[in-house]
Amino acid sequence: MGFGSYDESEQDNQSIDTELDEESVDSRETDHQGRVEFENGATNDELIDRLKDIKDDD
């Protein structure tokens, strides 16, 4: 056969295991345990006014 030919018998009954292996997946490895604090120096009113300015520019 020529280029791109294949054995059709290899195409039958293909199955893919989609089950997750519970032992190999650790969803807790990226959990954050601690505190995050952020201060931007602006009041809520200043931030709201800035947001209004940004929306008015559009």
Side-chain angles (χ1 to χ4, degrees), residues 5-53:
S5 61
Y6 62 93
D7 183 1
E8 290 182 11
S9 65
E10 293 178 6
Q11 303 302 315
D12 293 334
N13 299 323
Q14 290 187 1
S15 64
I16 298 173
D17 182 14
T18 58
E19 296 290 324
L20 288 177
D21 183 7
E22 296 293 328
E23 295 175 3
S24 67
V25 177
D26 185 7
S27 63
R28 296 170 295 166
E29 69 183 28
T30 58
D31 285 353
H32 174 74
Q33 296 179 2
R35 293 180 53 161
V36 175
E37 293 184 23
F38 177 78
E39 291 185 30
N40 61 10
T43 67
N44 287 342
D45 290 335
E46 291 172 331
L47 293 173
I48 290 172
D49 289 341
R50 178 65 184 128
L51 178 61
K52 287 178 184 175
D53 291 342

